[in-house]
Amino acid sequence: MNRALTLISLGTLLAFASTQLLASGNAESGKKKSATCFACHGTDGNAVDPQYPRLAGQYNIYLQQVMHEYKDGQRNNPIMKGMVATLSDQDIEDVAAYFSTLPTKLDTLSGHVEGDK
C-alpha cells in the first residue's frame, strides 16, 4: 500500500511538473504582443461579440495548441492564420500566458455556443 501511494505521488508530481514546463511564457511580454488580438477578443480577453471566442482564463496549453493549429493549417480560418503567421514559438507561449492569466467573465455557455440564439 505504501509503495502504491509513493507511485501515485510521484506520478502526480511528474504530471504537474511537465504541465508547468509546457505552460511557459511571459504574460507581461504576451500583453504587448497581443495588441492586435484586442480588436476582436477584447483588451481583457472577454470579447463582447459572440462570433469571437473569449480567451481570458482559457488553459495556457490549449491556447498554445490552437494558435499552432491555425499557424500550420490544421484549423482553417484565414483571419487567424494571418494573425499567427509571423508569431514565433516564444510569441505564442507569451500570448497564451497573458490570456490564460486574465479573469474570465464567462459564467455560462448560453449564447456563446455556435448555433445558440
Side-chain angles (χ1 to χ4, degrees), residues 37-104:
C37 306
F38 298 159
C40 297
H41 298 287
T43 56
D44 65 352
N46 288 288
V48 293
D49 187 330
Q51 71 176 319
Y52 303 115
R54 292 184 178 203
L55 304 179
Q58 291 284 357
Y59 292 108
N60 183 309
I61 296 300
Y62 172 75
L63 291 170
Q64 288 185 46
Q65 178 180 333
V66 169
M67 285 186 274
H68 282 293
E69 289 172 356
Y70 283 126
K71 189 171 180 172
D72 67 20
Q74 289 181 48
R75 287 184 181 233
N76 185 20
N77 182 300
I79 294 171
M80 282 304 301
K81 185 170 181 75
M83 298 303 278
V84 299
T86 61
L87 296 180
S88 68
D89 288 346
Q90 185 63 55
D91 294 337
I92 288 173
E93 290 176 14
D94 293 346
V95 169
Y98 172 66
F99 282 113
S100 68
T101 62
L102 297 176
T104 186

